């Protein structure tokens, strides 16, 4: 199936959003600018689809950041989240040698290294609790 960029059934958020480094959704003119070398894509995990039995499919909300510039680090403003208790959790940064579990607040600027890809996911307080 394909993403359509429109609201998920029963939700206000789209299924996918393309973002400028300022954390705002790209507009048509953003795509036409020849100098664009950095963008993000947010994949919303709320109510992704339904399975063959009509059961709701949901998952993590993910944010992928791409910096194709060959020389410049770009500060990428992380987009807002719907819950104040949520944060962005770093899953992968191709510019880092070791995996980390850093978390970032919405609106915080992530230092996106040149020629790199970053993957973050929405983290909730419940994910911090460990099961004994």
């Amino acid at each position: 199936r394909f993403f359509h960029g429109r609201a998920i059934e029963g939700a206000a958020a789209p299924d996918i959003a393309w973002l400028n480094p300022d954390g705002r959704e790209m507009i048509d003119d953003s795509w036409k600018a020849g100098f664009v070398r950095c963008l993000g894509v947010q994949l919303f995990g709320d109510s992704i689809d339904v399975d063959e039995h009509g059961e709701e499919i949901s998952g993590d909300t993910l944010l992928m950041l791409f910096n194709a510039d060959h020389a410049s680090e770009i500060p990428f403003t992380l987009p807002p989240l719907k819950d104040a208790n949520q944060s962005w959790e770093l899953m992968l940064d191709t510019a880092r040698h070791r995996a980390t579990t850093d978390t970032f607040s919405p609106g915080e600027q992530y230092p996106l290294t040149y020629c790199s890809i970053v993957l973050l996911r929405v983290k909730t307080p419940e994910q911090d609790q460990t099961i004994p």
Side-chain angles (χ1 to χ4, degrees):
R1 298 188 185 215
F2 296 95
F3 294 108
H4 300 286
R6 59 180 182 248
I8 299 167
E9 190 173 322
D15 51 3
I16 188 170
W18 295 92
L19 307 171
N20 287 311
D22 64 6
R24 292 185 294 171
E25 195 161 355
M26 294 177 77
I27 58 173
D28 287 343
D29 288 343
S30 302
W31 291 105
K32 296 173 188 171
F35 57 84
V36 175
R37 290 192 168 85
C38 181
L39 58 84
V41 60
Q42 188 171 354
L43 303 169
F44 295 89
D46 298 336
S47 188
I48 297 169
D49 207 344
V50 293
D51 65 15
E52 63 275 2
H53 304 292
E55 298 293 322
E56 183 178 330
I57 300 171
S58 62
D60 290 331
T61 293
L62 302 174
L63 177 63
M64 292 182 285
L65 308 177
F66 303 91
N67 184 356
D69 193 280
H70 68 283
S72 299
E73 176 179 285
I74 297 175
F76 201 104
T77 302
L78 300 177
L81 296 168
K82 61 183 177 180
D83 187 338
N85 294 323
Q86 294 175 324
S87 59
W88 288 106
E89 178 182 24
L90 180 64
M91 304 300 292
L92 170 75
D93 184 338
T94 59
R96 293 188 182 201
H97 297 290
R98 284 183 266 149
T100 64
T101 55
D102 296 340
T103 57
F104 302 89
S105 299
E108 189 173 342
Q109 290 188 333
Y110 187 89
L112 190 56
T113 304
Y114 60 92
C115 297
S116 68
I117 299 172
V118 168
L119 175 66
L120 300 113
R121 73 172 177 161
V122 172
K123 184 176 183 178
T124 60
E126 296 84 40
Q127 291 170 320
D128 286 333
Q129 297 174 357
T130 57
I131 300 173

